Amino acid sequence: MENSKNSMGLKIALGVALVLFLATGFYTINLYKSSNQVQKDLTEEKQLVMNDLNAMAKQYDVAISENDVANKNLLDARSRIQGLIDSLKISETNVRSLWRYKKKYQSLQKEMDVLLAQNDSLRVENSYLATSLDSTRVRLEERTMFTDSLLVQNNALAEVVENAAVLNTVGLKGFGVIERTSGKLIPTERAGRTDKIRVCFTVAKNGLVQAGDQELYVQVIDPKNNTLGLNEQVEFNGKTLSYSIISKFNYENASLNICEFVASKGKKNFEKGRYVVNVFNERDLVSSSEFTLK
């Protein structure tokens, strides 16, 4: 009888122990699952904070890019956000740490609202100033264009009056030539082989000049500043001009090509160096050119 009671007590004790063991295992499993879920939730929450910070950084980037001159306050705030993002990446994933970063984010959010509002206000003011300056610049440009137009017209009128009866020349060119007994001319740059200087130019058409006999004065100056050819002088209204040859021609209100020859003064050989050719209409210089004999 005594053995039976002992056996029964042992079974009961074993049963209770088994129940306690199963209960402990069940609690441990639930606790582990709960811990994993909490960690997962914290990780997701950390990522949300990271996303919010990145979005805030992009807002600052847009605001900074809209300014021609970088706003120092915006740049400083953007730098602080980047520092917080870098710190959050390596921080521990726990409630205390996450709460601290959320508080910093909220503080930066308030700061951003103020800074962006100020930036928008400045941008509007700058836009208004730019528009006003553009309008003023357009008016000034229009006035300048009008003034320039009047000036051009006045200058053109003055030029017409001044050149009403003056012939001009274009394409003035001087060069040395070798003159064959047959009359054939060969251009040369060699001073020792040059027989004459040939000067060619085109009398430009000028409808304000009457047709008829006209003349221009050709002046050829050698490297020693001597006037070649005739080296005679003529005076126009108190101004003396030394010339090499007088080019006489019949002008018929059309462009006319003319060539003249200038000989060396007193000797056959020409000097080496730079020669200057000028064409005058009375005392007015109408064209000038240079060439070199070697």
Side-chain angles (χ1 to χ4, degrees):
M1 187 71 177
E2 186 66 26
N3 289 334
S4 178
K5 288 182 180 180
N6 290 336
S7 177
M8 182 61 67
L10 181 59
K11 289 180 179 180
I12 292 172
L14 290 174
V16 171
L18 181 60
V19 170
L20 290 175
F21 176 76
L22 292 175
T24 301
F26 180 76
Y27 175 76
T28 301
I29 292 173
N30 285 341
L31 183 62
Y32 176 76
K33 289 181 178 180
S34 176
S35 176
N36 285 344
Q37 185 62 44
V38 168
Q39 189 63 31
K40 180 181 178 182
D41 291 342
L42 288 173
T43 301
E44 291 177 353
E45 190 68 22
K46 179 178 179 180
Q47 186 58 48
L48 290 176
V49 175
M50 182 70 73
N51 294 341
D52 290 339
L53 288 172
N54 284 323
M56 184 183 294
K58 290 180 180 179
Q59 286 183 273
Y60 273 113
D61 289 338
V62 171
I64 292 170
S65 67
E66 291 176 346
N67 288 273
D68 293 333
V69 179
N71 187 312
K72 185 177 185 304
N73 291 334
L74 294 179
L75 292 174
D76 290 344
R78 176 63 175 83
S79 178
R80 287 195 295 274
I81 291 173
Q82 188 59 51
L84 193 60
I85 291 174
D86 294 340
S87 177
L88 180 59
K89 288 179 181 179
I90 60 175
S91 67
E92 296 180 3
T93 307
N94 55 53
V95 175
R96 182 178 179 181
S97 176
L98 193 57
W99 176 250
R100 184 171 66 254
Y101 281 100
K102 278 190 172 183
K103 293 289 288 183
K104 290 182 179 179
Y105 166 75
Q106 292 172 356
S107 176
L108 289 174
Q109 179 68 51
K110 293 178 181 179
E111 180 188 28
M112 184 183 74
D113 293 341
V114 173
L115 289 176
L116 293 186
Q118 292 175 348
N119 185 65
D120 289 341
S121 177
L122 289 174
R123 190 152 47 85
V124 170
E125 291 179 6
N126 290 338
S127 177
Y128 172 77
L129 288 175
T131 302
S132 178
L133 289 174
D134 287 341
S135 177
T136 302
R137 183 166 56 251
V138 168
R139 290 197 297 271
L140 288 174
E141 288 176 353
E142 290 175 349
R143 183 174 299 177
T144 301
M145 289 176 60
F146 177 72
T147 303
D148 289 346
S149 177
L150 289 178
L151 183 60
V152 169
Q153 293 177 27
N154 290 335
N155 288 340
L157 181 59
E159 185 177 354
V160 168
V161 173
E162 182 180 357
N163 299 325
V166 175
L167 287 175
N168 289 300
T169 63
V170 295
L172 175 62
K173 182 184 295 185
F175 51 94
V177 293
I178 301 171
E179 188 176 28
R180 300 299 190 194
T181 54
S182 62
K184 182 179 180 181
L185 300 174
I186 303 175
T188 180
E189 293 182 352
R190 309 294 295 182
R193 301 194 63 190
T194 298
D195 296 318
K196 292 180 180 180
I197 301 297
R198 192 178 192 193
V199 177
C200 295
F201 55 87
T202 299
V203 177
K205 179 181 178 180
N206 188 338
L208 298 175
V209 178
Q210 291 184 352
D213 292 335
Q214 298 286 343
E215 60 184 28
L216 296 172
Y217 293 86
V218 178
Q219 180 189 70
V220 179
I221 300 174
D222 71 6
K224 292 186 177 181
N225 207 32
N226 297 314
T227 301
L228 302 182
L230 296 176
N231 192 20
E232 294 182 356
Q233 295 182 339
V234 62
E235 186 174 323
F236 298 105
N237 297 327
K239 180 179 179 180
T240 301
L241 171 67
S242 297
Y243 62 89
S244 301
I245 190 172
I246 301 176
S247 178
K248 298 181 179 181
F249 53 92
N250 185 261
Y251 177 69
E252 298 180 348
N253 292 117
S255 297
L256 180 64
N257 296 324
I258 293 178
C259 286
E260 302 286 358
F261 291 96
V262 177
S264 177
K265 184 68 174 179
K267 59 180 179 179
K268 180 177 177 58
N269 293 334
F270 286 85
E271 299 285 345
K272 294 181 180 180
R274 183 177 65 93
Y275 287 73
V276 177
V277 181
N278 297 317
V279 176
F280 291 85
N281 189 325
E282 293 189 350
R283 67 174 185 175
D284 298 318
L285 177 66
V286 294
S287 61
S288 182
S289 180
E290 297 180 4
F291 68 96
T292 301
L293 293 181
K294 302 177 181 179

